Amino acid sequence: MDKNLRKAVIAGNWKMNKNPKETVELIQAIAPLVKEADCDVIACTPYIDLTAALEAAKGTNIKIGAENCHWEKSGAYTGEISADMLAAIGIEYVIIGHSERRTYFGETDETVQKRVRAALDAGLTVILCVGEYLEQREQGITDELVRLQTKIALGGVSADELKRIIIAYEPVWAIGTGKTATAEQANEVCAVIRQVVGELYGADNANALTIQYGGSMNAANADELLAKPDVDGGLIGGASLKAEDFAAIVKAASK
Ligand code: 13P
């Protein structure tokens, strides 16, 4: 199996942007521009926007995801949202382990593993983020680090459950900085991820896995990145907030 047999997935990560009214406007602006997409199109929004996003996306090909979830089903966890709660309102996707969660909110590989477990148990599809800091790249430990992040996060995940995992390679130094990894750098690490997944689950399962690149992907560089054999899609921050830019990336993934 090769890239042509994997469905490309373009997901927007809206981060802490847009209120419910703005969410409806943005989904309505994106929908007509992506309706012919030959890839999966996902918008991951702040919790407070999810209901509005689901409503606005009804009858379109846009799927809605959350940006995080807690690992417990319920309980005394003030301010948290469980995977079951997301599933109960009709959410299909959840981003887990984003570097901003790891950097600013104490997320560790162990808590990422617990959240992945909870999300899978709730029936969600996970967009699992891995990636290195600039110092780690400069130390030459990118591959080892990403291998480890991937292995820990997938601890306890069965081959069948792997079908509901998308992995996003997001080099932290490329996020929101305008510095994109070169297409070669992106492809190289995506290939490392596929290799480690192959070691864990066998080549067929690894070949079926969608691996995205994320980090300053935009309308201008999407074509080159998405043309690489191991880059099956994108996780888009800034450019996902502009309907035309996001649609241009979706178009690049649909080729
Ligand atoms: P930018 O596209 O803004 O660099 O963000 C990437 C990202 O973090 C997506 O999760």
Side-chain angles (χ1 to χ4, degrees):
M1 190 189 272
D2 66 12
K3 180 178 169 119
N4 293 329
L5 298 169
R6 292 191 286 271
K7 188 134 187 168
V9 180
I10 298 296
N13 173 9
W14 291 12
K15 308 192 178 184
M16 197 174 73
N17 293 291
K18 306 294 176 189
N19 62 33
K21 181 172 175 284
E22 294 164 339
T23 295
V24 172
E25 288 163 3
L26 184 52
I27 298 279
Q28 285 175 345
I30 293 170
L33 305 179
V34 302
K35 67 177 198 297
E36 310 290 345
D38 189 22
C39 66
D40 285 346
V41 181
I42 306 167
C44 298
T45 79
Y47 290 134
I48 196 172
D49 298 329
L50 290 172
T51 307
L54 283 168
E55 194 56 36
K58 260 190 200 149
T60 78
N61 55 336
I62 303 173
K63 293 167 181 159
I64 305 300
E67 298 175 12
N68 190 24
C69 68
H70 196 264
W71 56 83
E72 293 292 349
K73 285 181 173 296
S74 62
Y77 300 97
T78 302
E80 292 296 320
I81 300 283
S82 73
D84 285 359
M85 289 170 169
L86 296 175
I89 64 164
I91 293 300
E92 291 176 75
Y93 293 86
V94 62
I95 297 171
I96 293 182
H98 192 278
S99 66
E100 286 149 19
R101 302 289 326 162
R102 296 178 192 253
T103 303
Y104 306 132
F105 303 102
E107 190 81 75
T108 65
D109 288 327
E110 287 68 31
T111 56
V112 167
Q113 186 192 77
K114 287 160 78 167
R115 291 181 210 271
V116 167
R117 179 76 266 142
L120 291 173
D121 286 347
L124 303 177
T125 293
V126 171
I127 301 176
L128 165 66
C129 300
V130 297
E132 82 287 3
Y133 287 98
L134 183 59
E135 309 81 70
Q136 295 167 328
R137 174 161 283 268
E138 287 170 350
Q139 281 179 326
I141 59 170
T142 298
D143 292 4
E144 283 159 278
L145 185 97
V146 166
R147 284 177 65 90
L148 203 63
Q149 288 176 332
T150 304
K151 271 191 167 177
I152 297 174
L154 295 180
V157 172
S158 70
D160 197 44
E161 288 170 332
L162 188 70
K163 297 188 183 104
R164 286 189 286 122
I165 301 264
I166 293 165
I167 299 185
Y169 166 53
E170 297 212 311
V172 183
W173 48 272
I175 294 177
T177 58
K179 265 189 225 163
T180 320
T182 65
E184 287 69 29
Q185 285 172 325
N187 191 62
E188 229 171 75
V189 184
C190 289
V192 167
I193 294 168
R194 199 175 307 285
Q195 190 185 19
V196 70
V197 171
E199 289 163 17
L200 295 169
Y201 297 95
D204 284 356
N205 289 318
N207 281 332
L209 176 75
T210 294
I211 304 180
Q212 300 172 317
Y213 167 77
S216 299
M217 192 188 270
N218 58 38
N221 60 27
D223 260 328
E224 196 188 349
L225 286 158
L226 293 167
K228 288 290 173 190
D230 278 298
V231 181
D232 308 316
L235 185 56
I236 323 296
S240 73
L241 300 171
K242 296 179 201 126
E244 290 76 18
D245 290 9
F246 187 63
I249 299 170
V250 167
K251 201 168 167 198
S254 300
K255 283 179 186 160

